[in-house]
Amino acid sequence: MGFLPILALGQTIVSGTVTEANGMPILGANVYLEGTYDGASTTEQGGFSFETTATGVQVLVVSFLSFETFTMAADVSQLQDLTIKLREDVNSLDTVTISAGTLEASDNSKVSVLKPLDVVTTASALGDFVGALQTLPGTTTVAEDGRLFVRGGDAGETQIFIDGIRVFTPYTPTTNNIPTRGRYSPFLFDGITFSTGGYSAEYGQALSSVLLLNTIDEPDQEKTEISLMTVGGGLGNTQKWEKSSLSVNATYINLAPYIAAFPDRNDWQKPFEGYAGETVFRHKLKNGLFKLYAAFDGTDFELTQEDIDLPEGLD
């Protein structure tokens, strides 16, 4: 029993009251000595009291949600009957503006999704703008169709427009289980705008989405473009005069090398071969711009597909 007074003398009581700036007591504030396990929480009257064996100068920390953390460095013998006032932690928030995405006619700055270079550098697109769009959120891949399906809708519910004119046959012909491709070169367009949500009432016949293809109004310079693929290539040239310009593009695709290297389930008598060409003539008028667009494309292939009803297959 002779050691008990010595142990009592080795402990110091830290006490005080925690209030707001207006004097209101704070319930549940955390009060502790930094670097130790000694501490307590404030009562309904804001008071706190705990014992510590620490000696010398210590850092008292008081923290509570939505208030600035209070710290005080002093000898533990002086940390008694304290009155601590916490200041509110006020953060200034910038104005937050929430707006829904919209598609306005002749306003591509807000909805432009892909540039021509984005199309040809998108993996698996093979220079096809439809293939590049299939990598965007909201689109879905249906078997090996190759057309544009948006949010569970049919491909026919996605309307495609070139310079405001609806396109009724935007895809190349194909057969069952062979993906189709878009008919147009991405380099003819200034930008490809794609909306999987709301769009203007101007395109009311669209049910799932709208794809706008706007041709270049005026080329920036004369240029020649060459594209190379393992299964084909493309060539384009643009000539520019004082008030006129002419752009010509041609592409060729032949899947024979690919099918020879990676045979599939189809029996190809003639592998897929496709060719296409486009030209755009532009002429500045006094109060506008005249555009003339012409295109051609051809597809040639022959194969025999497996069919459960035909032992010899379907030609």
Side-chain angles (χ1 to χ4, degrees):
M1 295 181 62
F3 288 99
L4 293 178
I6 298 176
L7 294 175
L9 292 174
Q11 293 183 340
T12 304
I13 297 178
V14 179
S15 61
T17 304
V18 180
T19 66
E20 299 182 25
N22 59 4
M24 291 291 295
I26 297 178
L27 169 65
N30 296 319
V31 185
Y32 60 93
L33 293 179
E34 190 175 50
T36 72
Y37 292 101
D38 302 329
S41 298
T42 57
T43 63
E44 293 181 358
Q45 290 75 30
F48 65 91
S49 178
F50 61 90
E51 296 179 347
T52 179
T53 57
T55 59
V57 177
Q58 299 292 328
V59 178
L60 181 69
V61 181
V62 182
S63 63
F64 189 67
L65 186 65
S66 75
F67 288 85
E68 294 182 1
T69 300
F70 173 86
T71 58
M72 175 183 177
D75 192 279
V76 290
S77 62
Q78 301 175 0
L79 300 178
Q80 297 178 0
D81 299 326
L82 301 174
T83 300
I84 301 172
K85 294 184 178 182
L86 298 183
R87 295 185 301 178
E88 292 186 10
D89 187 8
V90 179
N91 293 324
S92 178
L93 298 178
D94 295 333
T95 302
V96 178
T97 303
I98 301 176
S99 59
T102 58
L103 176 66
E104 298 180 10
S106 303
D107 188 4
N108 295 335
S109 61
K110 298 181 181 179
V111 295
S112 181
V113 175
L114 294 177
K115 292 294 183 182
L117 189 60
D118 298 327
V119 174
V120 297
T121 56
T122 299
S124 75
L126 294 177
D128 182 16
F129 68 91
V130 177
L133 291 172
Q134 288 175 345
T135 63
L136 298 178
T139 62
T140 56
T141 301
V142 178
E144 295 179 345
D145 191 284
R147 296 180 297 170
L148 197 57
F149 294 81
V150 178
R151 302 190 184 280
D154 186 78
E157 297 177 0
T158 299
Q159 299 300 321
I160 300 177
F161 295 82
I162 295 181
D163 289 340
I165 301 176
R166 183 182 175 189
V167 180
F168 289 92
T169 55
Y171 306 103
T172 58
T174 187
T175 186
N176 295 334
N177 303 321
I178 303 298
T180 185
R181 287 175 57 88
R183 296 176 54 195
Y184 309 105
S185 169
F187 290 102
L188 288 178
F189 306 108
D190 183 38
I192 298 174
T193 64
F194 183 51
S195 171
T196 59
Y199 38 83
S200 172
E202 178 183 0
Y203 312 105
Q205 61 268 50
L207 298 179
S208 294
S209 64
V210 169
L211 174 61
L212 300 181
L213 306 174
N214 296 319
T215 57
I216 299 174
D217 289 337
E218 184 64 26
D220 52 357
Q221 60 181 353
E222 295 184 353
K223 54 186 175 182
T224 299
E225 299 164 333
I226 301 175
S227 60
L228 297 176
M229 298 183 293
T230 56
V231 293
L235 178 64
N237 182 263
T238 298
Q239 295 294 323
K240 184 178 180 181
W241 299 281
E242 182 178 356
K243 292 186 177 182
S244 304
S245 62
L246 178 66
S247 297
V248 179
N249 287 278
T251 57
Y252 175 76
I253 295 177
N254 192 328
L255 296 184
Y258 178 83
I259 295 175
F262 305 98
D264 57 21
R265 62 179 179 272
N266 298 310
D267 181 15
W268 292 88
Q269 280 72 50
K270 179 176 177 54
F272 180 90
E273 182 181 18
Y275 51 88
E278 299 168 301
T279 181
V280 179
F281 174 75
R282 313 169 189 86
H283 181 73
K284 288 184 178 179
L285 302 176
K286 184 177 180 180
N287 297 319
L289 179 67
F290 172 76
K291 289 183 182 180
L292 177 62
Y293 173 82
F296 73 91
D297 63 85
T299 303
D300 186 17
F301 60 90
E302 184 178 351
L303 76 161
T304 301
Q305 293 181 321
E306 294 181 358
D307 193 291
I308 192 172
D309 298 322
L310 301 173
E312 65 278 7
L314 176 64
D315 293 333

